[in-house]
């Protein structure tokens, strides 16, 4: 992250130098011509070089998520109900009280998972569904209840 801030600072400095033609320091120094003055393209090249231009890297950043959410709500031609499902899960993960987690876990299960199971429109793996069902039947609500994959641990 420090590298990213350094690149942004350098770009800002160079653009300020290029734009300030009235100061003696700018006249004395050789004019620097940037190949592309857009910060967006400089950042994109930097992130490509670091191999960090992936959906997961961008989506897991707050700004990237907000841009994606804005796109889903204002640009996408079809509604994206999975976004609300994702937000509900994130709200669930932030809860500290097990009683509140139990209540919200059941709401998430009923409003999103069960509804899609009944209408046969889901793309959930049966393993993931049965794991969530098992925890809810046992009345257990670990923070990572809705996570899928081998990284799951039984954190209560």
């Amino acid at each position: 992250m420090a590298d990213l801030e350094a690149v942004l600072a350098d770009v800002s400095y160079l653009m300020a130098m290029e734009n300030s033609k009235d100061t003696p320091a700018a006249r004395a120094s050789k004019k620097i011509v940037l190949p592309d003055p857009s910060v967006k393209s400089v950042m994109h090249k930097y992130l490509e070089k670091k191999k960090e231009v992936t959906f997961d890297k961008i989506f897991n950043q707050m700004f990237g998520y907000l841009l994606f959410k804005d796109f889903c709500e204002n640009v996408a031609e079809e509604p994206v109900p999975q976004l609300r499902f994702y937000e509900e899960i994130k709200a669930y993960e932030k809860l500290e009280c097990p009683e509140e987690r139990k209540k919200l876990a059941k709401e998430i299960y009923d409003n999103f998972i069960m509804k899609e199971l009944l209408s046969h429109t889901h793309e959930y793996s049966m393993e993931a569904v049965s794991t969530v069902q098992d925890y809810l039947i046992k009345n257990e609500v670990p923070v990572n209840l809705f996570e899928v994959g081998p990284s799951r641990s039984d954190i209560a």
Side-chain angles (χ1 to χ4, degrees), residues 49-63:
K49 193 166 91 174
K50 293 265 188 185
K51 298 195 183 337
E52 292 190 2
V53 182
T54 64
F55 179 80
D56 288 336
K57 287 274 189 180
I58 294 168
F59 184 78
N60 290 325
Q61 300 288 323
M62 178 56 78
F63 188 65

Side-chain angles (χ1 to χ4, degrees), residues 62-121:
M62 178 56 78
F63 188 65
Y65 169 73
L66 291 174
L67 286 172
F68 180 73
K69 180 180 176 181
D70 181 61
F71 172 81
C72 290
E73 292 173 345
N74 300 313
V75 179
E77 294 176 11
E78 294 182 27
V80 184
Q82 295 86 348
L83 194 60
R84 191 166 150 253
F85 180 47
Y86 175 80
E87 289 179 334
E88 290 288 326
I89 290 172
K90 288 301 174 191
Y92 165 85
E93 290 173 348
K94 290 178 184 174
L95 293 176
E96 293 183 17
C97 175
E99 291 304 316
E100 291 176 3
R101 277 204 311 260
K102 284 178 192 175
K103 182 181 178 212
L104 188 54
K106 288 177 183 176
E107 286 177 19
I108 291 171
Y109 181 80
D110 291 342
N111 294 333
F112 296 99
I113 299 171
M114 184 53 89
K115 190 183 286 185
E116 289 195 24
L117 286 174
L118 293 173
S119 65
H120 301 289
T121 59

Side-chain angles (χ1 to χ4, degrees), residues 86 88-102 104-105 108 132 135-136 139-148 151-156:
Y86 175 80
E88 290 288 326
I89 290 172
K90 288 301 174 191
Y92 165 85
E93 290 173 348
K94 290 178 184 174
L95 293 176
E96 293 183 17
C97 175
E99 291 304 316
E100 291 176 3
R101 277 204 311 260
K102 284 178 192 175
L104 188 54
I108 291 171
V132 171
Y135 275 106
L136 290 176
N139 220 11
E140 295 178 11
V141 283
V143 174
N144 63 347
L145 174 66
F146 296 102
E147 286 182 18
V148 180
S151 65
R152 280 186 60 83
S153 63
D154 294 331
I155 301 171

